[in-house]
Amino acid sequence: MKLLFRILSDESGATAIEYGLIAALISVAAISAFTTVGTKLSGSMVNVSNKLK
């Protein structure tokens, strides 16, 4: 019974999982930001290209 209680109260793996979740959220935010900036930059380049013609 003590072994089961010790296993259930062990939180050493929780920190690694939390860091993994934080890294995943940062990655999702970065990907969405890069996608938005890339789309707007592409539109700007097309606009400049059309004006140069």
Side-chain angles (χ1 to χ4, degrees):
M1 190 67 175
K2 288 182 181 182
L3 177 64
L4 180 62
F5 182 72
R6 190 172 38 163
I7 290 172
L8 291 176
S9 65
D10 184 19
E11 296 182 5
S12 62
T15 304
I17 292 171
E18 290 169 356
Y19 285 137
L21 290 173
I22 291 170
L25 289 173
I26 290 172
S27 298
V28 168
I31 289 170
S32 64
F34 292 151
T35 302
T36 303
V37 170
T39 303
K40 289 183 179 184
L41 184 61
S42 177
S44 296
M45 293 296 178
V46 168
N47 189 18
V48 169
S49 175
N50 288 336
K51 289 187 177 190
L52 287 174
K53 290 182 181 179

